[in-house]
Amino acid sequence: MYAIVDIAGKQFKVAKDQYIYAPKMEGEAGTAVRFDKVLLIDDGGQINIGAPTVNGATVSGKILEHVKGNKVIVFKKKRRKGYVVKNGHRQQYTKVQIESIG
């Protein structure tokens, strides 16, 4: 059984007991979260597609921790002008464990 869920504008294919890294959300580690924007549910071959969401379907999970992604280097240069800028960025994510689909 799996579901496709919209979390903060991004779509994730989730299954029970799976870990996902969603964009950072409010809440402390250990708190429960519920996602109501379920776009599709597959229950053993029986597919239920929403228009745009499946009525009454929710996916619940638990926040495990807040983490940072890998560093992305942003390098800008204009040749022959002496202009060089180097910056780094680390995106913040929330690690969520999916507990149930229903």
Side-chain angles (χ1 to χ4, degrees), residues 25-45:
M25 56 184 74
E26 297 295 323
E28 298 293 323
T31 59
V33 291
R34 174 170 286 150
F35 306 111
D36 296 329
K37 293 184 180 179
V38 180
L39 305 175
L40 180 141
I41 293 181
D42 181 6
D43 189 11

Side-chain angles (χ1 to χ4, degrees), residues 74-90:
V74 179
F75 185 75
K76 298 178 182 179
K77 179 181 179 180
K78 294 186 189 261
R79 64 185 198 161
R80 296 188 301 269
K81 303 298 182 198
Y83 175 76
V84 176
V85 174
K86 182 179 178 183
N87 285 322
H89 176 75
R90 293 184 72 184

Side-chain angles (χ1 to χ4, degrees), residues 83-98:
Y83 175 76
V84 176
V85 174
K86 182 179 178 183
N87 285 322
H89 176 75
R90 293 184 72 184
Q91 189 69 34
Q92 295 186 354
Y93 296 103
T94 300
K95 186 175 181 182
V96 179
Q97 180 180 13
I98 304 300

Side-chain angles (χ1 to χ4, degrees), residues 31-76:
T31 59
V33 291
R34 174 170 286 150
F35 306 111
D36 296 329
K37 293 184 180 179
V38 180
L39 305 175
L40 180 141
I41 293 181
D42 181 6
D43 189 11
Q46 180 181 359
I47 297 175
N48 188 1
I49 299 174
T53 60
V54 178
N55 292 332
T58 59
V59 174
S60 61
K62 181 171 68 171
I63 294 176
L64 298 179
E65 61 181 336
H66 298 289
V67 296
K68 289 185 178 181
N70 295 331
K71 181 171 267 195
V72 177
I73 303 297
V74 179
F75 185 75
K76 298 178 182 179

